[in-house]
Amino acid sequence: MEKKLLETDVLIIGGGSAGMWAANRFKDLQPDKEVVIVDKGPKDWGGLMTMAGGDFDAVMPDENIADWMEDFVYYFDGLCDQPLMEEILKCSFDRMQDYQRNGCTFFKKDDGSLKSVPQRGLPHVKLYPAQLKGRGGEMMVRALVEQLQQKNVKRLGRILITDLLKQKERVVGAVGFDTLNGDFYVIKAQAVVAATGVGGWKTSYGKNTPTGEGVELVYKAGARLKDFEFSRVWNMPKYFGWEGQTTLMPLGGRFVNALGEPFMEKYSPILKANTDPHFTTIAMAMEIRAGRGPIYFDISQINPDDLVLLKPQNGWQLMNYEKLRDLGMDLFRDNTQWVPQMTISYGGMDAGIHGETNVPGLFAAGTARSTEPGVYAGGFALMTTSVTGYLAGEGVARFLEEQPQVEITLDEDEISSLQKEIYAPLGKDGLSPKAVLTEIQQIMFPYNVSIIKTETALQDALHRLKTLQLTKIPQMAAKDAHYLLKLREVRAVAFVSELYLRASLERKESRAGHYREDYPQRDDAYLGWLTIEQDAAQQMQFAWEPVPTAQYKYPITRYYSDNFTFIKKD
Amino acid sequence: MIASIDVKKCVGCGNCVNRCPLDVIRLNEQKKAYIAYPEDCMTCYICERYCPAGAIYVHPFREALPKIFTQEY
Ligand SMILES: Cc1cc2nc3c(=O)[nH]c(=O)nc-3n(C[C@H](O)[C@H](O)[C@H](O)COP(=O)(O)OP(=O)(O)OC[C@H]3O[C@@H](n4cnc5c(N)ncnc54)[C@H](O)[C@@H]3O)c2cc1C
Ligand code: SF4
Ligand code: SF4
């Protein structure tokens, strides 16, 4: 194993949508400066976007930003960072145009206009599906990689960054290791962008790389986090993966219980099935708990003309559909069994419009920064990650213009102790990361921890998790560099699980994607973001950052969660 | 989950190895791809889609996950 030293102006951790956009924009502004993107996955794979269908939210020039803002303030139950969201919406059409200019096409109707699909029963928010449904994200990755090549951005794959380096409070680089051959990397940089995505629980297709090492490393460097009480509780087929069900809902797709009842009508008489999947999942779990499971997906109400938009035509979606059909399972013919499932965490860095965090020299981009409180409109992520990546690129460019270049002197003792810590589990006998992951999943997945939360269940889970962190995490071992990566991932999954449990206990109300059965009403005392920071004694400090309603442009008068009967109104 | 790689068909191009997001596949000394870390597969089909020789089969079922409810449903 070798030790490798790199030096660059800007280090971008994570080559997903956000990281690539940040690099791209930075290079437009400062073409002579050097940028390196480092990713734990394959070089140029593009993160989750490589699997994305390509649905994109954008406010068209003939629409009003204010209309969309009102939708989001309502949809987020007030937890909307209004200046940030306004900026995202303002830039959304420009980023969509950038994609179109670079060869990505969106689905057009017969009259040549773009096809849009309204989202979650909201009056204005809508997505634009990619032309090649199922390969839209892949095309976007290709377009961005081409740009990065032209602009001379250096890209490295299969390297996990584990720790940030600081000099007098300013972030000046990072260390990590090559997950194939184990080489140790030390990277000096004038500024760092963390575009590392979210945390999560490795629940199969598309959810196996967002595991939270980025969350752990920025937290250790002093970054303020927020929104960890929210997790993505989604619905998925019991036996296989499926993508695209959210596009089916506004067009008549729905879930039915074992009695054949379309139960969402009962839980949400106004929105019915056409709502946010987090609320559908809560209702699903309630039906199963009441003995009315299993739950099936029913497409009998969809207009056959719309099915052309919905049938998988490309990429993963088509291959998946055909493989399942060959096994006698046709989602477009049969009712298939679906289950509620916790998948990834929301939550991320608390950052300003241009990605600036509370730590000088550290910028946040994409889903690594928090933008939504546990509800999710289709097409939202490709919009927010492109825009926040772009804005972080601008933030870093300004930072480097305004701040003096620092002479970086490495603290060799610190580096060798980080190196020792990284390789300590290597070549030893011990627990396999996968076995420990399964134990974490067993703690986290029960419905009263992940979906319909209660104090007792959360406390019990936290107690079990703390025991696991003390007894099992240190006993994990890695045969080789591959397993060393998996081990770090599982450690981060445990860390993010702790953030989720503690934050869920703190928010004693139900709001947006967070549902507490023992506090089933909204409480104005919690109209704010729950932030988390490490204090000097290395303890987790929680604090409330109230929504600054007096300064905000859009009043909070309506709440999306009021549409659901399980949210109690005093 | 990735089910098989047909060594007779594999031409050793390395596409699957380089593209697998989870580093499940490696090339052996004979330049044939093999499933090195099967338990890490997430059923994304990337390897199968980019194999020029049609050597890979990924089964569409995902791995089973721990339960949400204690009772069966
Ligand atoms: C199957 C699927 C379909 C989707 N479809 C759509 C859609 O149609 N429309 C839509 O809007 N959204 C969609 N999404 C969501 C969207 O693709 C993602 O939310 C978005 O691409 C996330 O971008 P990101 O850059 O923030 O994070 P990521 O894509 O997760 O990128 C983070 C990158 O950082 C790397 N990384 C993390 N930690 C480290 C570390 N410590 N060191 C080195 N590297 C690290 C990871 O390997 C990863 O490449 C879909 C997602 C999936 C999985
Ligand atoms: S299906 Fe995806 S995760 Fe599994 S081996 Fe192939 S490329 Fe890797
Ligand atoms: S992509 Fe196919 S041919 Fe190429 S190495 Fe992999 S299995 Fe062999």
Side-chain angles (χ1 to χ4, degrees), chain B residues 3-69:
Chain B
S4 58
I5 301 179
D6 186 339
V7 280
K8 289 199 287 298
K9 287 187 182 162
C10 173
V11 296
C13 69
N15 271 357
C16 56
V17 179
N18 296 333
R19 285 177 181 266
C20 172
L22 296 165
D23 182 31
V24 168
I25 309 171
R26 294 283 177 91
L27 280 186
N28 65 19
E29 279 161 14
Q30 288 77 45
K31 289 254 183 249
K32 296 284 184 186
Y34 70 99
I35 307 169
Y37 305 97
E39 74 279 16
D40 291 323
C41 174
M42 65 165 160
T43 321
C44 72
Y45 308 144
I46 287 177
C47 52
E48 184 171 333
R49 286 181 50 217
Y50 287 95
C51 174
I56 302 179
Y57 177 71
V58 180
H59 191 281
F61 280 15
R62 60 179 169 84
E63 64 175 342
L65 293 167
K67 287 181 177 171
I68 318 297
F69 290 89

Coordinates of all heavy atoms in Angstrom, one line a residue, chain B residues 3-69:
Chain B
A3 N -26.6 -13.4 -10.5 CA -26.7 -14.9 -10.4 C -25.5 -15.6 -11.0 O -25.0 -16.6 -10.5 CB -28.0 -15.3 -11.1
S4 N -25.1 -15.2 -12.3 CA -24.0 -15.9 -12.9 C -23.3 -15.1 -13.9 O -23.8 -14.1 -14.5 CB -24.6 -17.2 -13.6 OG -25.6 -16.7 -14.6
I5 N -22.0 -15.5 -14.2 CA -21.2 -15.0 -15.3 C -20.7 -16.2 -16.1 O -20.1 -17.1 -15.5 CB -20.0 -14.1 -14.8 CG1 -20.5 -13.0 -13.9 CG2 -19.2 -13.6 -16.0 CD1 -19.4 -12.1 -13.4
D6 N -21.0 -16.2 -17.3 CA -20.7 -17.4 -18.2 C -19.2 -17.2 -18.6 O -19.0 -16.3 -19.5 CB -21.7 -17.4 -19.3 CG -21.4 -18.7 -20.2 OD1 -20.3 -19.3 -20.1 OD2 -22.4 -19.1 -20.9
V7 N -18.3 -17.9 -18.1 CA -16.9 -17.7 -18.4 C -16.6 -18.0 -19.9 O -15.7 -17.4 -20.5 CB -15.9 -18.6 -17.6 CG1 -15.7 -18.0 -16.2 CG2 -16.4 -20.1 -17.5
K8 N -17.4 -18.9 -20.5 CA -17.2 -19.2 -21.9 C -17.5 -18.0 -22.8 O -16.9 -17.8 -23.8 CB -18.0 -20.4 -22.3 CG -17.5 -21.7 -21.7 CD -18.0 -23.0 -22.4 CE -19.4 -23.3 -22.1 NZ -19.8 -23.6 -20.7
K9 N -18.5 -17.3 -22.3 CA -18.9 -16.1 -23.1 C -18.0 -14.9 -22.8 O -17.8 -14.0 -23.7 CB -20.3 -15.7 -22.9 CG -21.3 -16.7 -23.5 CD -22.7 -16.1 -23.4 CE -23.8 -17.1 -23.9 NZ -25.1 -16.7 -23.4
C10 N -17.5 -14.8 -21.6 CA -16.8 -13.6 -21.2 C -15.5 -13.3 -22.0 O -14.7 -14.2 -22.2 CB -16.4 -13.7 -19.7 SG -15.3 -12.4 -19.1
V11 N -15.4 -12.1 -22.5 CA -14.2 -11.7 -23.4 C -13.2 -10.9 -22.6 O -12.2 -10.4 -23.1 CB -14.6 -11.0 -24.7 CG1 -15.5 -11.9 -25.5 CG2 -15.4 -9.7 -24.4
G12 N -13.5 -10.7 -21.3 CA -12.5 -10.1 -20.4 C -12.3 -8.6 -20.7 O -11.3 -8.0 -20.3
C13 N -13.4 -7.9 -21.1 CA -13.3 -6.5 -21.5 C -13.2 -5.6 -20.2 O -12.7 -4.5 -20.2 CB -14.4 -6.0 -22.3 SG -16.0 -6.1 -21.4
G14 N -13.7 -6.1 -19.1 CA -13.6 -5.4 -17.8 C -14.7 -4.4 -17.6 O -14.8 -3.7 -16.6
N15 N -15.7 -4.3 -18.5 CA -16.8 -3.3 -18.4 C -17.5 -3.5 -17.1 O -17.8 -2.5 -16.3 CB -17.8 -3.5 -19.5 CG -17.5 -2.6 -20.7 OD1 -16.5 -1.9 -20.7 ND2 -18.3 -2.8 -21.8
C16 N -17.9 -4.7 -16.8 CA -18.7 -5.0 -15.6 C -17.9 -4.6 -14.3 O -18.4 -4.0 -13.4 CB -19.1 -6.4 -15.5 SG -17.7 -7.6 -15.6
V17 N -16.6 -4.9 -14.4 CA -15.7 -4.7 -13.2 C -15.6 -3.2 -13.0 O -15.7 -2.7 -11.8 CB -14.3 -5.3 -13.5 CG1 -13.4 -5.0 -12.3 CG2 -14.4 -6.8 -13.7
N18 N -15.4 -2.4 -14.0 CA -15.2 -1.0 -13.9 C -16.4 -0.2 -13.5 O -16.4 0.8 -12.9 CB -14.6 -0.4 -15.2 CG -13.2 -1.0 -15.4 OD1 -12.5 -1.4 -14.5 ND2 -12.8 -1.1 -16.7
R19 N -17.6 -0.8 -14.0 CA -18.8 0.0 -13.8 C -19.7 -0.4 -12.6 O -20.5 0.3 -12.2 CB -19.7 -0.2 -15.0 CG -19.2 0.6 -16.2 CD -20.1 0.3 -17.4 NE -19.8 1.0 -18.6 CZ -20.3 2.2 -19.0 NH1 -21.2 2.8 -18.2 NH2 -19.9 2.8 -20.1
C20 N -19.4 -1.6 -12.0 CA -20.3 -2.0 -10.9 C -20.1 -1.0 -9.8 O -19.0 -0.8 -9.2 CB -19.9 -3.4 -10.4 SG -20.8 -3.8 -8.9
P21 N -21.2 -0.3 -9.4 CA -21.1 0.7 -8.3 C -20.7 0.1 -7.0 O -20.1 0.9 -6.1 CB -22.5 1.2 -8.2 CG -23.2 0.9 -9.4 CD -22.6 -0.4 -9.9
L22 N -20.8 -1.2 -6.8 CA -20.5 -1.8 -5.5 C -19.3 -2.7 -5.5 O -19.1 -3.4 -4.5 CB -21.8 -2.5 -4.9 CG -22.9 -1.5 -4.7 CD1 -24.3 -2.2 -4.5 CD2 -22.6 -0.6 -3.5
D23 N -18.6 -2.7 -6.6 CA -17.4 -3.5 -6.7 C -17.6 -5.0 -6.3 O -16.9 -5.6 -5.6 CB -16.3 -2.9 -5.7 CG -15.0 -3.6 -5.7 OD1 -14.6 -4.1 -6.8 OD2 -14.3 -3.6 -4.6
V24 N -18.7 -5.5 -7.0 CA -19.0 -6.9 -6.8 C -18.2 -7.9 -7.6 O -17.9 -9.0 -7.3 CB -20.6 -7.1 -7.0 CG1 -21.0 -8.6 -7.1 CG2 -21.4 -6.3 -6.0
I25 N -17.8 -7.4 -8.8 CA -17.2 -8.2 -9.8 C -15.7 -7.9 -10.0 O -15.3 -6.7 -9.9 CB -17.9 -8.1 -11.2 CG1 -19.4 -8.2 -11.0 CG2 -17.4 -9.1 -12.2 CD1 -20.2 -7.8 -12.2
R26 N -14.9 -8.9 -10.2 CA -13.4 -8.7 -10.4 C -13.0 -9.6 -11.6 O -13.7 -10.6 -11.9 CB -12.6 -9.1 -9.2 CG -12.8 -8.2 -8.0 CD -12.1 -6.9 -8.1 NE -12.3 -5.9 -7.0 CZ -11.6 -5.9 -5.9 NH1 -10.5 -6.7 -5.8 NH2 -11.8 -5.0 -5.0
L27 N -11.9 -9.3 -12.2 CA -11.3 -10.2 -13.2 C -10.3 -11.1 -12.6 O -9.5 -10.7 -11.7 CB -10.6 -9.3 -14.3 CG -11.4 -8.6 -15.4 CD1 -10.4 -8.0 -16.4 CD2 -12.3 -9.5 -16.1
N28 N -10.2 -12.4 -13.0 CA -9.2 -13.3 -12.5 C -8.0 -13.2 -13.3 O -7.9 -12.5 -14.3 CB -9.7 -14.7 -12.3 CG -10.1 -15.3 -13.6 OD1 -9.7 -14.9 -14.7 ND2 -10.9 -16.4 -13.5
E29 N -7.0 -14.0 -13.0 CA -5.7 -14.0 -13.8 C -5.9 -14.4 -15.2 O -5.1 -14.0 -16.1 CB -4.6 -14.8 -13.1 CG -4.0 -14.1 -11.9 CD -3.3 -15.0 -10.9 OE1 -3.1 -16.2 -11.2 OE2 -3.0 -14.5 -9.8
Q30 N -6.9 -15.2 -15.5 CA -7.1 -15.6 -16.9 C -8.0 -14.5 -17.6 O -8.5 -14.8 -18.7 CB -7.9 -16.9 -16.9 CG -7.1 -18.1 -16.6 CD -6.9 -18.3 -15.1 OE1 -7.8 -18.1 -14.3 NE2 -5.6 -18.5 -14.7
K31 N -8.1 -13.4 -17.0 CA -8.9 -12.3 -17.6 C -10.4 -12.7 -17.8 O -11.0 -12.4 -18.8 CB -8.3 -11.8 -18.9 CG -7.0 -11.1 -18.8 CD -7.3 -9.6 -19.1 CE -6.0 -8.8 -19.0 NZ -5.8 -7.9 -18.0
K32 N -10.9 -13.4 -16.8 CA -12.3 -13.7 -16.8 C -13.0 -13.1 -15.6 O -12.4 -13.1 -14.5 CB -12.5 -15.3 -16.8 CG -12.0 -16.0 -17.9 CD -12.9 -15.9 -19.1 CE -12.3 -16.8 -20.3 NZ -13.1 -16.5 -21.5
A33 N -14.2 -12.6 -15.9 CA -14.9 -11.9 -14.8 C -15.5 -13.0 -13.8 O -15.9 -14.0 -14.3 CB -16.0 -11.0 -15.3
Y34 N -15.4 -12.7 -12.5 CA -16.1 -13.6 -11.6 C -16.8 -12.7 -10.5 O -16.4 -11.6 -10.3 CB -15.1 -14.6 -11.0 CG -14.1 -14.0 -10.1 CD1 -14.2 -14.0 -8.7 CD2 -12.9 -13.3 -10.6 CE1 -13.3 -13.5 -7.8 CE2 -12.0 -12.8 -9.7 CZ -12.2 -12.8 -8.4 OH -11.2 -12.3 -7.5
I35 N -17.7 -13.4 -9.8 CA -18.5 -12.7 -8.8 C -17.7 -12.7 -7.5 O -17.6 -13.8 -6.9 CB -19.9 -13.3 -8.6 CG1 -20.6 -13.3 -9.9 CG2 -20.7 -12.4 -7.6 CD1 -21.9 -14.2 -9.9
A36 N -17.0 -11.6 -7.1 CA -16.1 -11.7 -6.0 C -16.8 -11.4 -4.7 O -16.5 -12.0 -3.6 CB -15.0 -10.6 -6.2
Y37 N -17.8 -10.5 -4.7 CA -18.5 -10.1 -3.5 C -20.0 -10.2 -3.7 O -20.7 -9.1 -3.7 CB -18.1 -8.7 -3.0 CG -16.6 -8.6 -2.9 CD1 -15.8 -8.0 -3.9 CD2 -15.9 -9.0 -1.7 CE1 -14.4 -7.9 -3.8 CE2 -14.5 -8.8 -1.6 CZ -13.8 -8.3 -2.6 OH -12.4 -8.1 -2.5
P38 N -20.6 -11.4 -3.8 CA -22.0 -11.5 -4.2 C -23.0 -10.8 -3.3 O -24.0 -10.2 -3.7 CB -22.3 -13.0 -4.2 CG -21.2 -13.6 -3.5 CD -20.0 -12.7 -3.6
E39 N -22.6 -10.8 -2.0 CA -23.6 -10.2 -1.0 C -23.7 -8.7 -1.1 O -24.6 -8.2 -0.5 CB -23.1 -10.6 0.4 CG -21.9 -9.9 1.0 CD -20.5 -10.4 0.5 OE1 -20.5 -11.2 -0.5 OE2 -19.5 -10.1 1.2
D40 N -22.9 -8.1 -1.9 CA -23.0 -6.6 -2.0 C -23.8 -6.1 -3.2 O -24.0 -4.9 -3.4 CB -21.6 -6.0 -2.0 CG -20.9 -6.1 -0.7 OD1 -21.5 -6.0 0.3 OD2 -19.7 -6.4 -0.7
C41 N -24.3 -7.1 -4.0 CA -25.0 -6.7 -5.2 C -26.4 -6.0 -4.9 O -27.1 -6.5 -4.0 CB -25.3 -7.9 -6.1 SG -26.3 -7.6 -7.5
M42 N -26.7 -4.9 -5.6 CA -28.0 -4.2 -5.4 C -29.0 -4.4 -6.5 O -29.9 -3.6 -6.7 CB -27.7 -2.8 -5.1 CG -27.1 -2.0 -6.2 SD -27.3 -0.2 -5.9 CE -26.1 0.5 -7.0
T43 N -28.7 -5.3 -7.5 CA -29.6 -5.6 -8.5 C -29.9 -4.4 -9.5 O -31.0 -4.0 -9.8 CB -31.0 -6.1 -8.0 OG1 -30.7 -7.0 -6.8 CG2 -31.8 -6.9 -9.0
C44 N -28.8 -3.7 -9.8 CA -28.9 -2.5 -10.7 C -28.8 -2.9 -12.1 O -29.1 -2.0 -13.0 CB -27.9 -1.5 -10.3 SG -26.2 -1.8 -10.7
Y45 N -28.4 -4.1 -12.5 CA -28.3 -4.5 -13.9 C -27.2 -3.8 -14.7 O -27.1 -4.0 -15.9 CB -29.6 -4.4 -14.7 CG -30.8 -5.0 -14.1 CD1 -32.0 -4.5 -14.2 CD2 -30.7 -6.2 -13.3 CE1 -33.2 -5.0 -13.6 CE2 -31.8 -6.8 -12.8 CZ -33.0 -6.2 -12.9 OH -34.2 -6.7 -12.3
I46 N -26.4 -2.9 -14.1 CA -25.5 -2.1 -14.9 C -24.5 -3.1 -15.6 O -24.2 -3.0 -16.7 CB -24.7 -1.1 -14.0 CG1 -25.7 0.0 -13.7 CG2 -23.5 -0.6 -14.7 CD1 -25.2 1.1 -12.7
C47 N -24.0 -4.1 -14.8 CA -23.0 -5.1 -15.4 C -23.6 -5.8 -16.6 O -23.0 -5.9 -17.7 CB -22.6 -6.1 -14.3 SG -24.0 -6.9 -13.5
E48 N -24.9 -6.3 -16.4 CA -25.5 -7.0 -17.5 C -25.8 -6.1 -18.7 O -25.5 -6.5 -19.9 CB -26.8 -7.6 -17.0 CG -27.5 -8.5 -18.0 CD -28.7 -9.3 -17.5 OE1 -28.8 -9.5 -16.2 OE2 -29.6 -9.6 -18.3
R49 N -26.2 -4.9 -18.5 CA -26.5 -4.0 -19.6 C -25.2 -3.6 -20.4 O -25.3 -3.4 -21.6 CB -27.1 -2.7 -19.1 CG -28.6 -3.0 -18.7 CD -29.3 -1.7 -18.2 NE -29.1 -0.6 -19.1 CZ -28.9 0.6 -18.8 NH1 -28.9 1.0 -17.5 NH2 -28.8 1.6 -19.7
Y50 N -24.1 -3.5 -19.7 CA -22.9 -3.1 -20.4 C -22.0 -4.3 -20.8 O -20.9 -4.0 -21.3 CB -22.1 -2.1 -19.6 CG -22.8 -0.7 -19.6 CD1 -23.7 -0.4 -18.6 CD2 -22.7 0.1 -20.7 CE1 -24.4 0.8 -18.6 CE2 -23.4 1.3 -20.7 CZ -24.2 1.7 -19.7 OH -24.9 2.8 -19.7
C51 N -22.4 -5.5 -20.6 CA -21.6 -6.6 -21.0 C -21.8 -6.8 -22.5 O -22.9 -7.1 -23.0 CB -22.0 -7.9 -20.3 SG -21.1 -9.3 -20.9
P52 N -20.7 -6.7 -23.3 CA -20.8 -6.9 -24.8 C -21.1 -8.3 -25.2 O -21.5 -8.6 -26.3 CB -19.5 -6.4 -25.3 CG -18.5 -6.6 -24.2 CD -19.3 -6.5 -22.9
A53 N -20.8 -9.3 -24.3 CA -20.9 -10.7 -24.7 C -22.1 -11.4 -24.2 O -22.3 -12.6 -24.4 CB -19.6 -11.4 -24.2
G54 N -23.0 -10.7 -23.5 CA -24.2 -11.3 -22.9 C -23.8 -12.4 -21.9 O -24.5 -13.4 -21.9
A55 N -22.8 -12.2 -21.2 CA -22.3 -13.3 -20.3 C -22.9 -13.2 -18.9 O -22.8 -14.2 -18.1 CB -20.8 -13.2 -20.2
I56 N -23.6 -12.1 -18.6 CA -24.0 -11.9 -17.2 C -25.5 -12.1 -17.0 O -26.3 -11.6 -17.9 CB -23.6 -10.5 -16.7 CG1 -22.1 -10.4 -16.8 CG2 -24.1 -10.3 -15.2 CD1 -21.5 -9.0 -16.3
Y57 N -26.0 -12.8 -16.0 CA -27.4 -12.8 -15.7 C -27.6 -12.3 -14.3 O -27.0 -12.8 -13.3 CB -28.0 -14.2 -15.9 CG -29.5 -14.2 -15.5 CD1 -30.5 -13.5 -16.3 CD2 -30.0 -14.8 -14.3 CE1 -31.8 -13.4 -15.9 CE2 -31.3 -14.7 -13.9 CZ -32.2 -14.0 -14.7 OH -33.5 -14.0 -14.3
V58 N -28.4 -11.3 -14.1 CA -28.8 -10.8 -12.8 C -30.3 -11.1 -12.6 O -31.1 -10.8 -13.4 CB -28.6 -9.2 -12.7 CG1 -29.0 -8.7 -11.3 CG2 -27.2 -8.8 -13.0
H59 N -30.5 -11.8 -11.5 CA -31.9 -12.2 -11.2 C -32.6 -11.0 -10.6 O -32.0 -10.2 -9.8 CB -31.9 -13.3 -10.2 CG -33.3 -14.0 -10.0 ND1 -34.3 -13.4 -9.2 CD2 -33.8 -15.1 -10.5 CE1 -35.4 -14.1 -9.3 NE2 -35.1 -15.2 -10.1
P60 N -33.9 -10.7 -11.0 CA -34.5 -9.5 -10.6 C -34.9 -9.4 -9.1 O -35.3 -8.3 -8.7 CB -35.8 -9.4 -11.5 CG -36.1 -10.8 -11.9 CD -34.7 -11.5 -11.9
F61 N -34.9 -10.5 -8.4 CA -35.3 -10.4 -7.0 C -34.2 -9.8 -6.2 O -33.0 -10.1 -6.4 CB -35.7 -11.8 -6.5 CG -37.0 -12.3 -6.8 CD1 -37.7 -11.6 -7.9 CD2 -37.6 -13.3 -6.2 CE1 -39.0 -12.0 -8.2 CE2 -38.9 -13.8 -6.6 CZ -39.6 -13.1 -7.6
R62 N -34.6 -8.9 -5.3 CA -33.6 -8.3 -4.4 C -33.5 -9.2 -3.2 O -34.3 -10.1 -2.9 CB -34.1 -6.9 -4.0 CG -35.5 -6.9 -3.3 CD -35.8 -5.5 -2.9 NE -37.2 -5.4 -2.4 CZ -37.6 -5.6 -1.2 NH1 -36.7 -6.0 -0.3 NH2 -38.9 -5.5 -0.9
E63 N -32.5 -8.9 -2.4 CA -32.3 -9.7 -1.1 C -33.4 -9.4 -0.2 O -34.0 -8.2 -0.2 CB -30.9 -9.4 -0.5 CG -30.8 -8.0 0.0 CD -29.5 -7.7 0.7 OE1 -28.8 -8.7 1.1 OE2 -29.1 -6.5 0.8
A64 N -33.7 -10.3 0.7 CA -34.8 -10.1 1.7 C -34.2 -9.2 2.8 O -33.1 -9.2 3.1 CB -35.2 -11.4 2.3
L65 N -35.1 -8.4 3.3 CA -34.7 -7.4 4.4 C -35.4 -7.8 5.7 O -36.4 -8.4 5.7 CB -35.0 -6.0 4.0 CG -34.3 -5.4 2.8 CD1 -35.0 -4.2 2.3 CD2 -32.8 -5.2 3.1
P66 N -34.8 -7.4 6.8 CA -35.4 -7.6 8.1 C -36.9 -7.0 8.1 O -37.2 -6.1 7.4 CB -34.6 -6.9 9.1 CG -33.2 -6.8 8.5 CD -33.5 -6.7 7.0
K67 N -37.7 -7.6 9.0 CA -39.1 -7.3 9.0 C -39.5 -5.9 9.5 O -38.8 -5.4 10.4 CB -39.8 -8.3 9.9 CG -39.9 -9.7 9.2 CD -40.6 -10.6 10.2 CE -40.8 -12.0 9.5 NZ -41.3 -13.0 10.4
I68 N -40.6 -5.4 9.0 CA -41.2 -4.2 9.5 C -42.3 -4.5 10.6 O -42.4 -3.8 11.5 CB -42.0 -3.5 8.3 CG1 -41.2 -3.5 7.0 CG2 -42.4 -2.1 8.7 CD1 -39.9 -2.8 7.0
F69 N -42.9 -5.6 10.4 CA -43.9 -6.1 11.3 C -43.5 -7.5 11.8 O -42.9 -8.3 11.1 CB -45.3 -6.2 10.7 CG -45.9 -4.9 10.3 CD1 -45.6 -4.3 9.1 CD2 -46.7 -4.2 11.2 CE1 -46.1 -3.1 8.8 CE2 -47.2 -3.0 10.9 CZ -46.9 -2.4 9.7

